[in-house]
Amino acid sequence: MNANAMSNFEIVAREDFSDVTYLLEVRHPLMSKAAKPGQFVIVMLNEQGERIPLTIADFDRKKGTITLVIQAVGKTTKQMQQECKVGTVLYGMVGPMGIPSPISHAKKVVCVGGGLGVAPIFPQARGFKEAGAYVIAVLGFRNKDLVFWEEKFKGCCDELILCTNDGSAGMKGMITDGIKVAMAGHSDIDEVVAIGPPVMMKACADATRAAKIKTMVSVNPIMVDGTGMCGGCRVKVGDQVKFACVDGPDFDGHLVDFDDLMLRLSRYTKVEKEAHERWSESCRMAKQVGAHALDALARGRAGQAELLELPDPFEDAPGG
Amino acid sequence: MAKKKTIRTIPQERTPMREQDPQARAKNFEEVACGYSPEDAQRESERCLMCPDEPCISGCPVGIDIPGFIQKINEKNLRGAYDILTDTNLLPSICGRVCPQENQCEGVCTVGDSLEAVAIGRLERFVGDTAIKEGWVNIPFIEPNRFKVGIVGSGPAGMACAADMAKAGCDVTVYEAFHQAGGVLKYGIPDFRLPNEVIDAEINNLKKFGVKFECNTLVGRLFTIEQMIDEMGFHAVFVGVGAGYPTMLNIPGDSLNGVLSANELLTRCNLMRARDFPNFDTPLPIGRRVAVVGAGNTAMDATRVSIRLGAEKVYCVYRRSRTEAPARAEEVHHAEQEGVEFHWLTAPVAVLDDGKGSVRGMRCVRMELGEPDDSGRRRPVPVAGSEFDFEADLIVYAIGTNANPIMGQTSKLKLNKWGYIGADENLATSVAGVFAGGDIVTGAATVIEAMGAGRKAARSMKAYLGIRDSALAYSQADGAGTLFGIDTRERNFARVRIA
């Protein structure tokens, strides 16, 4: 192993799944060798940037790359959407962080991914398949336009249940409806793994509680360092307080206090919104150079209202 | 030398150091203590008696020749003073600022028996700062050897170890998980106490020695300690990752929004520059009333950062009395001057909810001091029926840290019962070739103690690698009972590589 294989965090590929969701493939040979399903990275876009945790969606040991699927919800992720082109570099990317997801000896597993959570559930589905399990993927999106990686999942899953809120692709319904279908079809499910927005993971845990099916979830709270130092990512799991970055990020979904998690995720909503407004305003101003000042201002205000509209709660992802 | 000085002939008063006015500095992040002028330093150097028993040297964890460098200041030979300092301490600007001198060199100073002790720390800082200003670097003659040494963590322990190993001719790489090197000096200690430029200057000096720094590298997860030895070609590894896992109080309301660890507050403000939000992206809404729990140096930093970020009221809540407060006296004094309100003998009972998941205040109980406990300090006991509430919208816990679990999770290093890395008196761990020191071995301590540990580990590593270091003389007694710094009964010799 060569320590000089350190990366300069170059972006080698990018794919846009929709207006809000995009994929970045970052060159980091050493990390691609170390990464395991369930782990995450912390990314800094530039020197002034914040550190944002992103779950590793895939890793390619041959190409030496790490794949991230990101949703543009806040200032940083929108700025990344705008600035991260193939050939550009990130200021920093550290990882793989967190305890890898235990790929258990379960014989039949349901891998549930909601919205953006579809990406990080992929390495787990593949991991279970490689471990010899029968893998059922339940993927949920808001509508047909947001669907991604359907084929990729088909390649490693025995069954795929696709749900959309409006029924424009797959079955119409919430992701929990998809889980119910899987549970109705199979009475011998050993484990459910769910990744997505907290509200979705909460619903998944509730859906399997009665049947007492082991349900693992991957939480993504607010973090600064990702190494157990700040304690910002603490979550209540049963009667214990755990740090998601070093004690997780995977926990027993039946024990996680999701209400507490969601509350803590809202901690910086106000300042985050302000930062976002300021940034989108400055972007607009930059674009309007040369145009009539008043005109620019007016258009800036109009556009702002639109941007402030929160993304679909179904896909609402924390951080960034 | 001139005629012998006596306690009567030296300047009686300790030379004061100019400080920023408390009102002005409470609004900025510039350094509080402005440092000595050359005249100040000259006058203070007069106060050293050059006493023959030199208690200050044994009071210093790294054994700096204190009378020696003060003598050079007195002779107006600042370069000479710097040379003496850097023989034992490569980071004088840092240590001069953050060492608890009152418990170390100054605490045992002979002058201190009858007058105020010589201001050794201030003189050290003066020399270090002069060197940075003048661009002095002492690069010793280094004869490269074939050993590769890995250092995990770029805090004070790692920096000190890296310096010694580089001086001994090793190829040294320091790994840091954050995007900037410096460890606790960068993320923890605020600029008004230790400016980032000073840290960067000291790190640049290490780079001039040939030390390589690799940031964004989480050892344990990106590669393990064992991989460093087995696959990456490191002949020895030093682990100085600190003890950064913050303790929460475990009282009702702990998880409310607005309750955070001092580590988080300080990291956001110092390393992530939340104080320059929105020019920097990391937010830190400070609230109107901030209550900091604890009275160590970290707690003082947290109170003073909160004041500078614009909090209207900052309280410091501590369950013991001022006498027991672990912070340096100067820090408590500075915090007081800047308007921090101290509530001694007060313990938090619960954090109060505003009904929307955020903090509204804190419920506390008055304490009184009972019999001494294990630490020798009088144990605080709650006074029945003395509970009271006060308003606050940000609660900061500065009540200590635990061992970081990552090393334990990812390596075979033996841990002690508290989760810290187990190390023998030579700082050798249970894995051959791997040494550890600083907070990850001892639990949270001071910068200079960590540096002392880094240097001690370096000495053991050199013995382990069979490097003879002619530049420095070490006491023979330290090596007794061990072979190459390894306890013969405990070590697995399979991996030992001898030059």
Side-chain angles (χ1 to χ4, degrees), chain A residues 75 227 229-230 234 260 263, chain B residues 254-255 257 261 263 281 404:
Chain A
K75 191 236 169 188
T227 60
M229 252 183 42
C230 77
R234 59 191 191 275
D260 185 69
L263 191 69
Chain B
D254 258 0
S255 70
N257 282 334
S261 72
N263 265 4
D281 289 342
N404 189 297

Side-chain angles (χ1 to χ4, degrees), chain A residues 25 106 202 226:
Chain A
E25 208 175 320
K202 185 186 182 195

